[in-house]
Amino acid sequence: MAIRLGCIADDFTGATDLANNLVRAGMRVVQLIDVAPAGTAQPDDADAVVIALKSRTTPAADAVAASLRALEWLRSAGAEQIYFKYCSTFDSTRAGNIGPVTEALMDALGTDFTIATPAFPDNGRTVFKGHLFVGDVLLSESGMRHHPLTPMTDPDLVSVLGAQTARPVGLIDHTVVAAGARAIRERMAELRTQGVGAAIVDAVSNDDLVRLGAAVKELPLVTAGSGLAIGLPANWGFEPSPAAARLPPPGGHQAVVSGSVSTATNGQVQEFLRGGRPAFSVDPLRIAAGDDVAAAALAFAAGHLDHGPVLVYSTEAPDAVKDVQGRLGAAKAGELVERTLARVAQGLVERGVRQLVVAGGETSGAVVQALGLTGLRIGPQIDPGVPWCAAALPGGDPLHITLKSGNFGGPDFFTASFAHLGQASA
Ligand code: ADP
């Protein structure tokens, strides 16, 4: 069956966030890790496919090429509308990549008009008079102004996007959005006759996004953060339903692999240890000294897997991480830990783990790659923005996996997630 909505996301965790929103609005969603290799079967029973790229901060030409490859795949899968998804803080520079990718997709789709809105009110991202707010402050006053790769110093998205594209950029402001889908459509038609190629759209509430969703039904391309996803599925008659999030029943052993060093994850590790559960600490200095830490972690895990979840973690408080980074260099320390944890995840799966929690964005990328996963079916949400997923291992065996980036999840995430999976599939 052909898919309805085809999505191109410029990073991995953003892709999951979008997929999760679509599932909650009633679509069955598969997330592909980069473009599926030629010959990969199209997923059965998916209403939307989200292709996760790593194109946010690559050179613009590379981002364009990857996005066009993704577009081709989605069109061959039958996608009726394309959704280019970027960060809700509009992460980009004057060189792109939001503008160049948008233009390339417009050209390839033969369309002269699209919309752009990073608004995601549930996460505190709102757009008013074309200006992006993060919580209560303008984008340019938020932490994003110091971002190492994409410092955002201008909150006026009409000007930010305007600097990235040759097409004129316009604005659909809140008075129009509040007036409803028809008013938005009329304003889009007006901007189009003025030669505007892309319009920033104000949205300060989920109701705004729902009205906007209805208004953009006929556009071949929409560009947005993950917020707009709440307003699109209804265009094909989808309604929120637990059936959209149904996964095959879980089996096998349970394990957690954590390479995140964020505050929330530190709390989750502490909570797991307080519960007296089995946990193995991965020490980057031992890896650097040449010890086979992955083998030691797997030997430890093997003795405990029969009795419930086992945790393997490199998570440490900021001072300890800084100390290690000072001795090994931050990049080297990160790489050693990622490689070790990816081997641990592989070994755990070989030892029968079929329910795996991974903490850390970079760590998740390394684990997904090591396990050879190419696609994830998105299941029920455990905590805001973090769903369980089902994947097929290269041999075809099913694996339930959840990929939690840094600061997500409540304190008991490492145990509650397994209970949640059991309940959701009961
Ligand atoms: P988060 O989502 O919390 O940012 P990531 O996995 O994206 O987590 O990033 C954490 C980075 O820190 C990874 O590169 C990881 O390998 C590295 N790391 C993890 N534990 C340690 C440690 N104890 N010392 C130094 N670096 C570490």
Side-chain angles (χ1 to χ4, degrees):
M1 203 189 70
I3 61 170
R4 306 302 183 118
L5 185 64
C7 310
I8 302 167
D10 69 356
D11 90 331
F12 188 88
T13 45
T16 309
D17 192 17
L18 170 61
N20 185 54
N21 278 352
L22 291 170
V23 168
R24 289 183 343 120
M27 282 182 140
R28 298 164 301 172
V29 182
V30 168
Q31 177 177 336
L32 297 181
I33 292 121
D34 207 334
V35 185
T40 300
Q42 285 171 15
D44 292 332
D45 302 335
D47 305 309
V49 168
V50 181
I51 297 182
L53 300 178
K54 256 187 148 177
S55 58
R56 183 168 296 167
T57 53
T58 53
D62 296 354
V64 164
S67 304
L68 290 176
R69 266 202 320 276
L71 173 67
E72 199 178 316
W73 193 94
L74 292 167
R75 288 170 97 184
S76 71
E80 295 164 16
Q81 186 172 48
I82 301 296
Y83 189 138
F84 169 39
K85 191 270 172 197
Y86 37 73
C87 190
S88 65
T89 41
F90 215 70
D91 300 15
S92 53
T93 67
R94 285 183 78 82
N97 292 340
I98 296 176
V101 170
T102 299
E103 288 199 292
L105 294 174
M106 288 173 77
D107 289 342
L109 287 163
T111 183
D112 63 355
F113 184 82
T114 188
I115 54 121
T117 185
F120 192 2
D122 280 350
N123 278 3
R125 313 293 196 253
T126 53
V127 180
F128 187 69
K129 301 281 177 203
H131 287 59
L132 177 56
F133 290 80
V134 177
D136 295 329
V137 300
L138 282 166
L139 174 67
S140 49
E141 284 157 28
S142 75
M144 282 306 296
R145 74 178 184 275
H146 299 305
H147 192 281
L149 300 176
T150 53
M152 302 302 291
T153 53
D154 182 358
D156 177 354
L157 299 182
V158 175
S159 117
V160 174
L161 185 58
Q164 296 178 30
T165 118
R167 289 176 164 82
V169 177
L171 174 65
I172 301 177
D173 84 4
H174 193 256
T175 50
V176 174
V177 176
R182 191 164 154 195
I184 300 171
R185 274 194 292 269
E186 285 168 7
R187 176 73 177 140
M188 290 196 298
E190 184 186 13
L191 289 171
R192 218 168 174 156
T193 57
Q194 292 168 6
V196 166
I200 301 293
V201 188
D202 281 357
V204 299
S205 67
N206 285 347
D207 288 345
D208 290 337
L209 291 172
V210 168
R211 285 188 280 267
L212 177 60
V216 298
K217 187 176 174 185
E218 306 299 334
L219 293 186
L221 173 71
V222 294
T223 83
S226 60
L228 182 63
I230 68 172
L232 290 183
N235 288 339
W236 288 278
F238 294 103
E239 288 174 4
S241 145
R246 194 161 294 146
L247 296 181
H253 294 313
Q254 302 170 330
V256 182
V257 172
S258 175
S260 156
V261 292
S262 68
T263 313
T265 311
N266 266 286
Q268 288 153 357
V269 167
Q270 289 311 316
E271 179 75 18
F272 193 89
L273 296 176
R274 258 198 300 277
R277 293 175 179 278
F280 184 96
S281 160
V282 167
D283 177 356
L285 297 178
R286 274 187 59 200
I287 310 174
D291 288 2
D292 193 343
V293 178
L298 289 168
F300 170 86
H304 292 93
L305 283 171
D306 281 342
H307 313 293
V310 176
L311 166 66
V312 178
Y313 67 102
S314 67
T315 307
E316 287 290 350
D319 282 349
V321 174
K322 269 209 197 88
D323 181 51
V324 165
Q325 288 175 333
R327 291 173 195 227
L328 302 178
K332 172 92 175 154
E335 190 195 312
L336 288 177
V337 171
E338 280 167 39
R339 214 175 328 132
T340 301
L341 292 181
R343 271 188 55 214
V344 168
Q346 250 174 335
L348 288 169
V349 166
E350 281 161 16
R351 286 161 182 74
V353 167
R354 290 294 177 273
Q355 299 173 45
L356 183 63
V357 171
V358 186
E362 294 300 324
T363 309
S364 293
V367 166
V368 162
Q369 197 178 18
L371 293 179
L373 307 182
T374 55
L376 305 171
R377 177 170 289 276
I378 308 298
Q381 170 171 284
I382 308 161
D383 270 322
V386 199
W388 270 109
C389 306
L393 292 162
D397 241 20
L399 171 74
H400 286 76
I401 185 165
T402 180
L403 306 165
K404 183 197 85 76
S405 68
N407 270 319
F408 283 54
D412 61 349
F413 188 87
F414 290 167
T415 47
S417 47
F418 297 109
H420 189 277
L421 180 61
Q423 281 157 14
S425 18

